[in-house]
Amino acid sequence: MALAMHVHPLDKHLRVKRLPTIFCSGCGIGIALSAMLRALDKRISEGSVNPNKVLWVSGIGCSGRAVLYLNYDVAHVLHGRAIPFAIGAVLANPELKAVVLGGDGDIAAIGGNHLIHAAKRNFDMVVVMITNFIYAMTGGQVAPTTPYGVYTTTTPAGNPEYPLNVIKLVGALNANYVARASVTTPHLIEQYFYKALAMRGFRFIEVVATCPEMFGRHIGLRDSVEMFSELKKRVVYRHRPSLEEAMIDWEKGIVIGEFVERNNPSFIELLRGVKK
Amino acid sequence: MRRAFATGNFAVAEGAMTAGLRFYAGYPITPSSEIFEYLAEELPKRGGVVVQMEDEIASINAVIGASWAGAKAMTATSGPGFSLMAEAIGLAVITETPVVIVNVMRAGPSTGAPTKTSQSDVFQARWASHGDYIVPVYAPWSVQEAYDLTIKAFNTAELLRTPVILLSDATIAHLWESLTIYDRGEVEVIERKIPKKVSDEPYPPHKPDEDLVPPMPIFGAGFKALVESLLHDEWGHYSPTNSVYHSLVKRLVDKVVKRLSYVYEQETRFCEDAEVLLVSYGSTARTVYLVIKELRKRGVRAGFLRLKTLWPLDEERIRSCCPNAKKVIVVENNIGKIYMDMSRIFRNQDVFPASVLSLELPTPSEVLEAVEPWL
Ligand SMILES: Cc1ncc(C[n+]2csc(CCOP(=O)(O)OP(=O)(O)O)c2C)c(N)n1
C-alpha cells in the first residue's frame, strides 16, 4: 500500500522542494524553528504580520542554515554578520520585519560587537540565538557558551573559560526584550517569539538546544534521547528571573524565562524623532 | 546643472546623490571622513539614511543588506577600513549585490600615514577578497572626475549587479577645483533590473538573462529572495559540484568581461606621433601630464595614457592606443604595480617602472627624475 501524502500545517512557510534539512537526528534547531513558525503563523493569520515583509537573516553555522528552508525573503550571509546586514535592510526599508537567527558563535563571538551595538541602539529586529554549547558546523570546537572544564577539540585539556552570559550582556544594554527558552520547552519558544514579533526595538531570545552529535559526544551524551532528557532535567523555568540568574551552569541548572521586558522607542523611531 | 568650488570628497558625495544614493553606512577614517560628514548633512534631506556603524565590517554588510532592500548604497573608507571590508566584498560578488565602496587611499602598510597620499592599494582594490571574481575599479584624477566616476561606479554596479570600487586618494580627496554638478535627467543613471512580477510558483531566482545578469528580487516585494553566500545553483541551493562551481564563477566573471567596452575607460593625449608612452592614473597622472608637456617642449615625443578604469583592463585598447611608441614608462605612487600589467600587455615594447614613492602628490621634478633614466 502506498503511503498517503500528508501536508504539514507549516509547509506553507517552507521551501518544501528543499527538504529534508541537513540537521542531524536529535538536533534541536528543527524544534526551535517549528516553534517560531507556529508563532509566525499565528501572527500572519491574525493579520498583525505581513508575510511579504518578513526577512530572515542568518550567518554561518548549523543554526544559520535553518533560514534556507523558509519560504520568505531570506539571506544566508557571512559568519557573524547577519545583524549588520539586517540593519542595512531595515534602514533601507523600515517596513521589513527582520529576524536574525544564528548560533552562539555566530551571534556572540565573531558577531559579538554587532550584537552589543544593535542592543545598545535598541535596533528594530528580533535576534534568536541557538545555544548548543559548541561550534557544531565546524566539528566540535569550544564556543562562547561551552561550560567550564568541558573537553572540546580545541580545548583538549578542558575549557579553561567560564561561559559568556549573553542574556546578562544584552540585558545590560537597551534591548526591549530578553528571554531564554529551551528546545525542551517549545511552547515557550513559540510564546516568546510570538510576543517578540509584536514588540518594537531590539528583541533577543536565546534558545538552549541539543546537539548530541557534537556537544553530546564530548560530554558522553551522544544518544539523542539521553541528551534531550539530560537537558530537560537541567532547564529550570522561573517567572521573571533576574539577570543574575542567567549564568549558564550545566551543573546547577539553566534558568529560562523572560529576563527583561521594556517598551522604549526603537532606533528607527528615535531616528524619526519619536521620544516615547 | 550648477557650478561649485569643491573637494574630491565633496564631489564623490554629490556624485553618489546624483546617481540616486539612498543609504550610506560608514566608520570615520582619514582621509575619507568628509564624504560621510557631508552625506550625514545632505542625504536625509533628500530622503536617504546615513548611519555610523560600529566598524567597517558592519558598514559594508549593512550596505549590502540595504542594497537588497532596494536602495542604492555606498560606504567610504581608507586602507585600514578597506582591509576590514575584504570578506564582504566577496559576499557582494557572490550574492550579486550592487554596492559602491570608496577607498580614499592613504599611505600604508597598517595605520601608516593617515593624512598622506598614496596609490599603494591598486592591487588590493582588485583582489582584497578571496576567491575568483572581477570587480570594476575606477580611479579619478580630478574633482570633476571624482564626481563623474562615482556616477559611473553606481551605473556599473546596477547594470552588472556587482560591487564597484572607487579608488580615490588623499590628494584628490582634499583638492579644491571647480565642479559641475548635474541634475537628475542631465546624466545617465542606470537602475538594476528587478523581476517583472511575483511568481506564484517557485522559480530559479539566480537564473540570468542574456546579459548574464539575473533580475534582482529585492526584499519586501513578495519575491521570496534567497541570498546565498555559499556556492549556489540557479535556485540558490548550495551545491559543491564542479558543474555549479564552473557555471557560477564563470558567469560572475563573464558578465563583467562581456561589458568591458562599458566598464573600461581610458584617456590618451599626444599619441599620434608619440615614441615614448607614459602611463599613469589617479592623482599622479596630473603631474605626469605636466611633465609630458615639458618633455615635448624639449623635443621628446612623449604620449600620455591615463587609465580611468584600473580593473578590468581592456588590453587590446591599451596595446593599440599608441601604435608607434617603442618605450612605455609607467609612473605611479607605489612600488610599481600597474607596471606589472603594462609589461604583460605591451609585449613588444620595452616597459619601464617609474615609481615615485611619496607621501605628497609627486612633483614634476620627482617624476622627471624617475622617467629620465628610461628616455
Ligand atoms: C570568517 C569565518 N571564520 C570561520 C568560519 C568557520 N565557521 C563556520 S560556522 C562556525 C561556528 C559555528 O558555531 P555556531 O556559530 O555556534 O553555530 P552552530 O554550528 O553551532 O549552530 C565557524 C567558526 C567562517 N565560516 N567564517
Side-chain angles (χ1 to χ4, degrees), chain A residues 60-63 79 103-106 110 132 134-138, chain B residues 87:
Chain A
I60 304 301
C62 297
S63 314
H79 189 33
D104 61 286
D106 191 69
I110 192 165
N132 54 13
I134 201 76
Y135 277 23
M137 177 62 90
T138 40
Chain B
E87 188 191 16

Side-chain angles (χ1 to χ4, degrees), chain A:
Chain A
M1 196 183 77
L3 284 171
M5 290 286 284
H6 291 289
V7 176
H8 191 277
L10 294 178
D11 270 2
K12 60 176 177 291
H13 301 281
L14 298 172
R15 294 176 193 254
V16 185
K17 189 173 177 309
R18 220 162 169 197
L19 299 173
T21 67
I22 60 155
F23 304 127
C24 310
S25 63
C27 172
I29 297 170
I31 301 176
L33 192 64
S34 54
M36 290 162 70
L37 289 180
R38 284 193 296 277
L40 179 59
D41 192 66
K42 254 195 258 171
R43 283 282 171 213
I44 291 171
S45 51
E46 71 190 29
S48 56
V49 169
N50 174 352
N52 284 340
K53 304 295 176 194
V54 176
L55 168 65
W56 296 81
V57 187
S58 71
I60 304 301
C62 297
S63 314
R65 288 289 181 97
V67 307
L68 297 180
Y69 304 104
L70 302 180
N71 200 21
Y72 289 88
D73 285 335
V74 304
H76 183 225
V77 297
L78 297 175
H79 189 33
R81 316 301 169 200
I83 288 177
F85 180 99
I87 286 179
V90 171
L91 284 175
N93 179 1
E95 285 188 358
L96 294 174
K97 259 195 188 307
V99 181
V100 167
L101 184 64
D104 61 286
D106 191 69
I107 301 286
I110 192 165
N113 197 27
H114 309 310
L115 174 70
I116 291 171
H117 286 269
K120 173 241 180 199
R121 295 181 175 112
N122 198 19
F123 195 88
D124 315 60
M125 56 170 42
V126 183
V127 175
V128 178
M129 183 178 86
I130 309 273
T131 291
N132 54 13
F133 311 103
I134 201 76
Y135 277 23
M137 177 62 90
T138 40
Q141 299 84 4
V142 74
T145 56
T146 305
Y148 175 79
V150 168
Y151 166 90
T152 74
T153 58
T154 47
T155 56
N159 180 17
E161 301 174 36
Y162 288 94
L164 180 63
N165 188 341
V166 187
I167 294 282
K168 192 172 173 185
L169 172 72
V170 178
L173 299 162
N174 296 326
N176 266 353
Y177 188 58
V178 182
R180 182 192 277 149
S182 161
V183 297
T184 56
T185 60
H187 58 292
L188 291 182
I189 305 175
E190 184 178 333
Q191 192 181 311
Y192 297 167
F193 191 64
Y194 177 81
K195 184 172 185 171
L197 279 174
M199 293 178 68
R200 59 178 177 173
F202 192 77
R203 293 143 277 168
F204 181 79
I205 303 172
E206 181 178 20
V207 176
V208 176
T210 50
C211 174
E213 194 60 37
M214 289 299 158
F215 186 58
R217 89 165 67 195
H218 290 339
I219 58 166
L221 294 173
R222 183 78 187 275
D223 180 86
S224 304
V225 177
E226 252 182 74
M227 165 110 228
F228 191 89
S229 320
E230 254 333 289
L231 181 64
K232 194 170 175 178
K233 268 191 253 162
R234 286 162 204 274
V235 162
V236 190
Y237 171 79
R238 294 260 161 77
H239 183 67
R240 305 240 158 260
S242 78
L243 290 174
E244 298 311 313
E245 295 171 275
M247 186 64 182
I248 286 185
D249 192 324
W250 191 254
E251 297 310 321
K252 286 195 208 138
I254 300 165
V255 172
I256 59 170
E258 297 170 284
F259 293 87
V260 171
E261 210 180 326
R262 304 180 182 118
N263 187 24
N264 291 328
S266 73
F267 181 81
I268 289 184
E269 288 172 329
L270 290 169
L271 207 59
R272 287 174 172 162
V274 181
K275 295 262 160 58
K276 270 195 283 198

Side-chain angles (χ1 to χ4, degrees), chain B residues 6 54 64 158 218 221 315 373:
Chain B
E54 52 275 18
I64 295 170
E158 295 284 319
I218 56 171
E315 304 200 358

